[in-house]
Amino acid sequence: MTELIPAPRAVVAGTGEVRLTAQSRLHAGTATEGVGHWLRTVLWQAAGLPLREARELDETEGDGIGLRLDPGLGPEEYRLVSGPDGVLVEGGSAAGVFWGAQTLRQLLGPDAHRRAPLGRDRVWAVPHLTIQDAPRFGWRGLMLDVARHFMPKEGVLRYLDLMAAHKLNVFHFHLTDDQGWRIEIRRHPRLTEVGAWRARTKFGHRASPLWDDRPHGGYYTQDDIREIVAYAAERHITVVPEIDVPGHSQAAIAAYPELGNTDVVDTTALSVWDTWGINPHVLAPTDNTLRFYEEVFEEVLGLFPSEFIHIGGDECPKDQWRRSPAAQARIEELGLADEDELQSWFVRHFDTWLRARGRRLIGWDEILEGGLADGAAVSSWRGYAGGTAAARAGHDVVMCPEQHVYLDHRQDGGPDEPVPIGYVRTLEDVYRFEPVPSELTPDEAAHVLGTQANVWTEVMEDTARVDYQAFPRLAAFAEVAWSPLPAPGERDFADFERRMAAHYGRLDALGVAYRPPEGPRPWQRRPGVLGRPIDGTPPNR
């Protein structure tokens, strides 16, 4: 069972195997106790193996598991040795040991990913081998949009497990948008009392005539958020929250109308938006708005210990600001050239505010327009251009170009794809994605923190639809983010497909409703629901 995903850097095969039995023991050295608890738990659930505690490494006696730190390894680097003395997983930190434990779980076979034993006798064996492995990027991310369609807490915890199984380590949590506000802010309770619920939902693309007339919504309490963050931390995943400003804010304005441009629109008549697209209702650039969101971010910082806080910053139409006497007066007062610089002022305010509290701002690549503060980072989504410009200007970048790693884009050009959106991005297309633009110098490329796949949920009404869009492509993306692959055209996709044949068994054991290689199952289709397919090859820029 060496069909590993993502592919490790080096594997040396041996002869023989380590058999885990009811008598096998597990020793977790200093600072690896949490990994030991996780591994003991999942193998007890899946295999019924008690893995009793060994006080010393030599008590594992040839058929057990040892976990320990090796300061000579990098922070996320690990070494797994399976041989006559048992299985030893060493890492430069607990994170490295955890990624090695994930590899060990894969080596035990697909059934090691189940939540209860199958009730039949079987051998749990790890082949003798040595694996040396480390990630290519420090930021290996997945963005999940829970604003358009709410995913209950249990679904989020499940996705953290799926991320961990693929060695992804950054969970970008898109918590607010026009269609819903999903995080409890105690100082401003109407954000969830009003902003977390919409009366109905567009079914399909915004041009679709179909509606789901059931109210839709939900939110995470602050204790839910604490649980999610702690659960992620146990799996060595950082949660980066996103609170969108100044666009994508109709849900907040519906809850607190004074946040909008009241001098040009009756914001008291607004409700949480029920359709998709770019919304014209943006935040007013007033001191009241700044103070309100500072209070929001104060509570957010108390819940999320992450270095980065995402402020959105994308798709902010300027029409209301152009027509607003108050916005125009603010432009004149600040000596700004235009509305683009007004948005830059808005972003810079929160960059300064976050830096004063020891955090860093990250936003979508529109925040480059009008100038960007030195410490801010960029999520490059409109192709590579924004990320390239940011890296050349000395800003850190996360590469997530829409045309390549937006997993809401359709997986095939056939008529059975459910609600087809965007370009065709096959499993092979994602496998050949290269996060670092070739035109960057080595110094500029060092600003590429990593890469991220984004799951926008406008047309994903439940967890099964999210599964369908994310998998199996997220497995290919995980290999791109972790493994030191050759240039896109030189990558061995046939070998990846061979390893995926085994990996589908793991996804089955994990209960993932992925898209089968031969096409969607009948219940995965959405006949008659209008999408927005784009023909042709996406631009590679």
Side-chain angles (χ1 to χ4, degrees):
M1 293 302 300
T2 56
E3 295 87 356
L4 301 173
I5 290 179
R9 289 179 178 248
V11 180
V12 178
T15 302
E17 62 184 18
V18 175
R19 292 195 174 191
L20 301 180
T21 69
Q23 284 68 50
S24 296
R25 292 176 176 266
L26 186 150
H27 171 72
T30 302
T32 71
E33 295 89 350
V35 181
H37 173 74
W38 174 85
L39 185 59
R40 185 177 283 111
T41 299
V42 296
L43 293 187
W44 168 253
Q45 289 176 338
L49 296 173
L51 291 178
R52 290 170 297 163
E53 182 177 357
R55 288 178 302 228
E56 301 293 338
L57 189 60
D58 57 12
E59 291 181 11
T60 55
E61 296 178 346
D63 66 349
I65 301 169
L67 310 174
R68 72 181 181 191
L69 300 184
D70 179 346
L73 299 175
E76 291 191 281
E77 186 177 2
Y78 72 89
R79 178 170 52 245
L80 187 156
V81 179
S82 171
D85 295 328
V87 180
L88 176 62
V89 180
E90 298 175 292
S93 70
V97 176
F98 181 71
W99 303 132
Q102 290 286 358
T103 297
L104 172 59
R105 190 185 188 192
Q106 286 197 19
L107 290 169
L108 286 167
D111 288 342
H113 294 76
R114 296 188 179 275
R115 294 196 180 185
L118 296 183
R120 59 174 181 251
D121 292 336
R122 62 154 295 171
V123 173
W124 297 95
V126 182
H128 285 181
L129 47 64
T130 298
I131 296 175
Q132 196 82 31
D133 201 8
R136 179 185 179 192
F137 293 111
W139 186 302
R140 307 180 301 280
L142 173 69
M143 190 226 70
L144 180 63
D145 166 21
V146 296
R148 274 52 177 270
H149 278 97
F150 178 66
M151 181 178 285
K153 180 190 69 176
E154 287 302 317
V156 175
L157 299 179
R158 173 177 173 267
Y159 257 82
L160 291 170
D161 278 328
L162 292 174
M163 288 179 63
H166 292 83
K167 299 185 174 69
L168 299 174
N169 70 340
V170 178
F171 180 55
H172 176 168
F173 207 6
H174 184 80
L175 288 163
T176 74
D177 217 298
D178 300 301
Q179 297 86 0
W181 185 283
R182 306 294 179 217
I183 178 173
E184 176 190 22
I185 302 297
R186 291 174 178 169
R187 202 173 307 181
H188 300 295
R190 285 177 60 82
L191 286 171
T192 46
E193 290 171 0
V194 174
W197 307 92
R198 59 179 182 262
R200 63 175 187 168
T201 301
K202 174 68 71 172
F203 190 25
H205 180 251
R206 61 180 176 269
S208 168
L210 304 176
W211 292 89
D212 181 344
D213 287 316
R214 297 172 297 175
H216 178 84
Y219 67 93
Y220 310 102
T221 68
Q222 293 203 358
D223 281 346
D224 290 337
I225 294 292
R226 291 185 182 95
E227 180 182 357
I228 288 167
V229 170
Y231 194 86
E234 290 174 351
R235 286 146 184 81
H236 300 277
I237 295 171
T238 299
V239 183
V240 175
E242 180 179 354
I243 306 294
D244 239 314
V245 296
H248 287 289
S249 297
Q250 183 164 324
I253 296 169
Y256 292 93
E258 65 272 20
L259 296 174
N261 295 282
T262 57
D263 53 350
V264 294
V265 64
D266 179 11
T267 55
T268 63
L270 295 179
S271 58
V272 178
W273 210 25
D274 57 13
T275 189
W276 321 122
I278 299 176
N279 190 295
H281 299 292
V282 303
L283 297 174
T286 64
D287 290 340
N288 174 67
T289 300
L290 297 180
R291 298 294 87 76
F292 183 97
Y293 273 88
E294 286 173 0
E295 291 169 354
V296 168
F297 281 117
E298 281 175 3
E299 295 195 26
V300 168
L301 296 191
L303 296 168
F304 296 93
S306 56
E307 175 188 5
F308 288 99
I309 303 295
H310 208 292
I311 58 90
D314 62 316
E315 296 180 331
C316 178
K318 311 298 192 299
D319 292 346
Q320 289 185 0
W321 288 353
R322 293 187 184 97
R323 294 187 288 118
S324 164
Q328 292 303 309
R330 174 123 287 190
I331 289 173
E332 184 176 353
E333 170 198 340
L334 296 170
L336 304 176
D338 54 22
E339 292 77 18
D340 285 341
E341 287 196 4
L342 183 61
Q343 180 173 348
S344 177
W345 164 81
F346 203 107
V347 171
R348 283 173 179 270
H349 174 88
F350 286 103
D351 176 78
T352 301
W353 190 90
L354 288 168
R355 279 192 289 114
R357 288 153 182 81
R359 307 298 184 95
R360 291 181 66 188
L361 180 147
I362 186 169
W364 303 111
D365 55 55
E366 285 95 329
I367 67 173
L368 289 164
E369 298 165 5
L372 184 59
D374 290 342
V378 171
S379 300
S380 185
W381 76 275
R382 295 180 298 176
Y384 287 100
T388 300
R392 285 175 170 166
H395 295 288
D396 288 339
V397 178
V398 176
M399 297 301 300
C400 48
E402 174 188 14
Q403 304 91 336
H404 300 277
V405 289
Y406 268 34
L407 300 184
D408 51 320
H409 282 219
R410 57 194 170 134
Q411 303 186 63
D412 189 85
D416 290 333
E417 289 305 305
V419 199
I421 299 295
Y423 292 102
V424 172
R425 293 287 83 190
T426 65
L427 183 66
E428 182 172 0
D429 290 329
V430 174
Y431 189 67
R432 297 192 187 281
F433 163 62
E434 172 49 50
V436 180
S438 59
E439 60 266 33
L440 293 182
T441 67
D443 286 344
E444 292 166 347
H447 284 289
V448 179
L449 300 176
T451 183
Q452 178 173 290
N454 294 341
V455 179
W456 300 102
T457 62
E458 286 94 334
V459 299
M460 300 183 208
E461 70 278 8
D462 55 33
T463 301
R465 277 287 285 122
V466 175
D467 280 6
Y468 179 91
Q469 292 299 133
F471 289 97
R473 293 183 296 181
L474 193 63
F477 172 80
E479 184 148 312
V480 169
W482 177 277
S483 306
L485 299 176
E490 300 170 8
R491 294 177 188 174
D492 190 348
F493 181 67
D495 178 70
F496 178 77
E497 282 190 304
R498 179 189 64 79
R499 289 180 285 120
M500 273 303 302
H503 199 66
Y504 285 120
R506 300 181 190 119
L507 297 180
D508 286 332
L510 289 164
V512 178
Y514 59 86
R515 181 191 189 275
E518 62 273 12
R521 297 180 172 96
W523 55 88
Q524 293 175 319
R525 301 167 188 163
R526 298 291 185 276
V529 181
L530 185 65
R532 185 183 61 89
I534 303 174
D535 293 330
T537 302
N540 190 27
R541 55 179 172 79

